[in-house]
């Protein structure tokens, strides 16, 4: 039996599989309804050529109005702060009210504050996500993440973008991402310090299933909540890699059950099968089971 718990800290929606879909591709937009990804990032930036930006915005306007996505988060990635398309993108976000707006190449906290001001009259549920994909952005990750705790702060998630980071630093693509790991962990640490989720970068070769699984396992071990995807073929592996493992679920249920016993309800530390378990482990178990409940609920509602 799976316990439904109420952890002390809020649990964000599952973000194991974050599928990026070009807003210019109407066929790809329509296909999102039948996919098992946790959320969809509708991209107006890199995947849309300058002469197609207006058409891509119209596609999203039609999609949100006529065939809105059910039971999954919706995120719109807009063009950069220095882009001529930024103002119209923001107007579209205010009109469509997705769950979040994703800002590319964020490099300083001021960009997050400016977007929060632009969204001042939008529902509080409309959050801001930030892509960490430049050297300066990674160096300023802690200051950027800290805006989440400011009054009116809307920052909810950091997404690391390694393609641009590799280009800017000259680090070549390599299995294991060995020279990128220190920078990736810096972003994870910044996110966790300020209560944010953090998403791993895309894996470019969607035909390399083994390589993708290995990179998902690495991302999960590094503490990422999920992975940004470029193809539906990557969804199942991401969900499995970043979802609660069966053995972790069983352990969490055992911890919750143990602390619910009358003789342990007031204890801070208990003996569970020869292992000392503290209340901090109970909190972790409750959060894992609450996350599992959200995952199961999404599948039921989709």
């Amino acid at each position: 039996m799976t316990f439904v718990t109420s952890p002390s800290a809020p649990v964000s929606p599952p973000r194991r599989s974050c599928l990026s879909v070009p807003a210019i591709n109407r066929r790809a937009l329509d296909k999102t309804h039948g996919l098992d990804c946790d959320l969809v990032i509708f991209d107006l930036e890199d995947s849309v050529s300058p002469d197609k930006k207006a058409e891509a915005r119209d596609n999203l306007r039609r999609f949100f109005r006529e065939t809105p996505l059910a039971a999954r988060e919706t995120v719109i990635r807009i063009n950069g702060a220095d882009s001529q398309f930024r103002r119209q993108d923001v107007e579209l976000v205010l009109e469509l009210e997705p769950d979040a707006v994703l800002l590319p190449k964020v490099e300083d906290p001021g960009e997050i504050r400016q977007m929060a001001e632009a969204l001042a009259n939008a529902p509080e549920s409309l959050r801001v996500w930030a892509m960490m994909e430049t050297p300066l952005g990674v160096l300023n990750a802690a200051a950027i993440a800290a805006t989440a705790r400011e009054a009116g702060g809307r920052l909810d998630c950091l997404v690391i973008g390694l393609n641009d980071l590799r280009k800017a630093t000259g680090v070549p693509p390599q299995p294991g991402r060995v020279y990128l790991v220190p920078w990736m962990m810096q972003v994870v640490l910044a996110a966790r310090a300020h209560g944010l989720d953090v998403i791993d970068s895309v894996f470019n070769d969607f035909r390399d299933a083994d390589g993708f699984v290995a990179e998902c396992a690495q991302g999960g071990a590094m503490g990422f909540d999920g992975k940004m995807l470029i193809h539906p073929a990557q969804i199942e592996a991401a969900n499995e890699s970043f979802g609660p493992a069966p053995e972790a679920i069983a352990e969490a249920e055992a911890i919750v059950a143990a602390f619910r016993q009358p003789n342990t309800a007031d204890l801070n530390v208990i003996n569970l099968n020869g292992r000392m378990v503290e209340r901090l482990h109970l909190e972790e178990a409750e959060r894992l089971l609450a996350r599992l409940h959200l995952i199961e609920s999404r599948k039921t509602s989709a």
Side-chain angles (χ1 to χ4, degrees):
M1 181 182 79
T2 299
F3 292 100
V4 177
T5 65
S6 299
S8 55
V11 178
S12 60
R15 290 164 177 169
R16 303 164 298 170
S17 48
C18 309
L19 180 65
S20 181
V21 177
I24 194 61
N25 190 333
R26 293 182 62 177
R27 185 165 174 265
L29 293 176
D30 291 339
K31 281 189 172 183
T32 59
H33 292 287
L35 300 177
D36 192 30
C37 52
D38 285 333
L39 64 90
V40 176
I41 298 171
F42 300 98
D43 186 33
L44 292 170
E45 196 216 7
D46 283 346
S47 66
V48 181
S49 62
D51 62 317
K52 295 290 185 179
K53 299 289 188 183
E55 181 181 346
R57 286 192 295 271
D58 287 341
N59 287 346
L60 283 191
R61 187 175 286 110
R62 185 182 304 108
F63 181 89
F64 273 72
R65 288 178 176 175
E66 298 178 4
T67 57
L69 200 63
R72 280 160 290 175
E73 284 188 290
T74 54
V75 181
I76 296 178
R77 181 164 77 162
I78 63 175
N79 287 278
D82 59 349
S83 168
Q84 61 178 309
F85 307 108
R86 181 64 168 263
R87 180 182 60 80
Q88 292 165 302
D89 288 352
V90 173
E91 289 174 355
L92 182 69
V93 167
L94 291 170
E95 176 186 345
L96 301 183
E97 296 183 355
D99 292 296
V101 53
L102 176 56
L103 310 183
K105 301 177 181 64
V106 175
E107 295 192 320
D108 70 79
E111 296 180 51
I112 305 299
R113 297 187 184 106
Q114 289 172 5
M115 183 52 58
E117 291 176 6
L119 300 177
N121 295 323
E124 187 177 348
S125 59
L126 203 170
R127 313 304 291 173
V128 174
W129 290 24
M131 290 213 63
M132 303 283 96
E133 50 187 340
T134 69
L136 187 56
V138 172
L139 286 174
N140 289 337
I144 291 167
T147 63
R149 299 187 182 276
E150 296 176 357
R154 289 179 181 259
L155 188 63
D156 192 51
C157 185
L158 303 182
V159 183
I160 194 160
L162 295 183
N163 285 335
D164 283 285
L165 193 57
R166 287 188 186 103
K167 179 181 177 182
T169 59
V171 175
Q174 292 178 325
R177 306 185 289 188
V178 60
Y179 298 113
L180 298 169
V181 166
W183 302 334
M184 296 172 71
M185 290 306 304
Q186 190 168 326
V187 174
V188 172
L189 194 63
R192 296 305 185 223
H194 297 285
L196 303 177
D197 276 3
V198 59
I199 306 299
D200 195 1
S201 181
V202 299
F203 183 82
N204 295 311
D205 188 357
F206 63 85
R207 296 164 298 184
D208 182 4
D210 292 340
F212 178 71
V213 169
E215 194 163 286
C216 283
Q218 181 197 39
M222 292 171 68
F224 285 95
D225 294 290
K227 196 161 183 65
M228 190 172 176
L229 313 178
I230 61 169
H231 195 278
Q234 299 174 323
I235 293 172
E236 183 178 358
N239 284 346
E240 182 175 347
S241 294
F242 291 97
E247 56 271 20
I249 295 170
E251 180 181 13
E253 290 178 337
I255 291 173
V256 171
F259 272 102
R260 285 184 175 178
Q261 299 301 315
N263 61 324
T264 61
D266 296 327
L267 299 179
N268 286 328
V269 182
I270 64 172
N271 183 334
L272 179 61
N273 300 324
R275 184 166 65 96
M276 301 307 294
V277 178
E278 302 178 41
R279 285 212 167 260
L280 67 90
H281 299 118
L282 173 63
E283 294 171 4
E284 292 173 353
E286 289 175 338
R287 286 181 61 81
L288 184 147
L289 295 178
R291 186 164 178 254
L292 176 63
H293 178 66
L294 289 174
I295 291 171
E296 293 173 341
S297 298
R298 184 190 68 71
K299 288 183 177 180
T300 302
S301 304

